[in-house]
Amino acid sequence: MRLRNLKNKEEIMKNSKVLIENPEDFCGNWANVFGNSFPIHVEIGTGKGKFIESMAKCNPEINFIGIERYDSVIARALEKVDTIPNLRFIRMDAFLIDTIFNHEISRIYLNFSDPWPKVRHHKRRLTSEVFLQKYDGIFVGDGEILQKTDNQDLFLFSLCSLSQHGYHFSEISLDLTKEAVKNLATTEYEMRFVEQGYPIYFLHAHKSKR
């Protein structure tokens, strides 16, 4: 994916009321950021924010946090997103996710993540053992992961990796365009892939707290 530079990205990020600049300062205290004890859902790789903005507006009883590593991408999300009480954004590398949350996240969304196709890069996949171990430390109670992808190899990898890490599946779809998942918004990529006729793979995985 080619990233187009946004010239005024620094100004947009500086003036945003929903961007958290020092997320590590709130590790273990995200309930205070939102001012309530509602469940917290995280989208890793939030892109331009269409999915998480829709989810936040439709689910005011849930707090949402979008994580994106690229300045220009998250700035585009911030310039379009209204000030929504139950929505925040963080600009950071997902590899550091266990440094900003401590047993306080209920659900993770992985929407059209980088598939990292080369075998030597598989550990960078967001459903690799490396990341699943990190998620163990941020989930509160039973953890949930919902994944959408157009990449079959990544999807099969995720099914195996999640199973080996103790997850079970409540939903699996080999073509989400032919099925309906309740209360789940679409993404920019999803709309594009559907228009091009590509199948969308989906899974909803759960891991019970022991």
Side-chain angles (χ1 to χ4, degrees), residues 174-185:
L174 301 181
D175 191 353
L176 194 59
T177 62
K178 298 178 180 179
E179 303 174 33
V181 177
K182 295 181 179 179
N183 304 318
L184 198 59

Side-chain angles (χ1 to χ4, degrees), residues 73-133:
V73 178
I74 199 168
R76 292 184 186 280
L78 296 173
E79 69 178 348
K80 295 187 299 182
V81 172
D82 297 327
T83 300
I84 304 173
N86 61 325
L87 176 60
R88 298 292 186 275
F89 289 89
I90 299 172
R91 193 207 66 77
M92 61 168 281
D93 190 317
F95 190 77
L96 301 175
I97 194 168
D98 54 339
T99 68
I100 62 171
F101 300 120
N102 182 23
H103 297 293
E104 51 198 325
I105 304 304
S106 299
R107 177 183 287 185
I108 292 175
Y109 298 99
L110 305 176
N111 293 316
F112 301 94
S113 310
D114 191 330
W116 294 105
K118 295 182 179 180
V119 174
R120 68 175 182 272
H121 292 155
H122 281 187
K123 64 181 180 181
R124 301 182 187 181
R125 290 176 165 179
L126 296 178
T127 50
S128 71
E129 180 68 16
V130 173
F131 279 94
L132 295 183
Q133 289 182 3

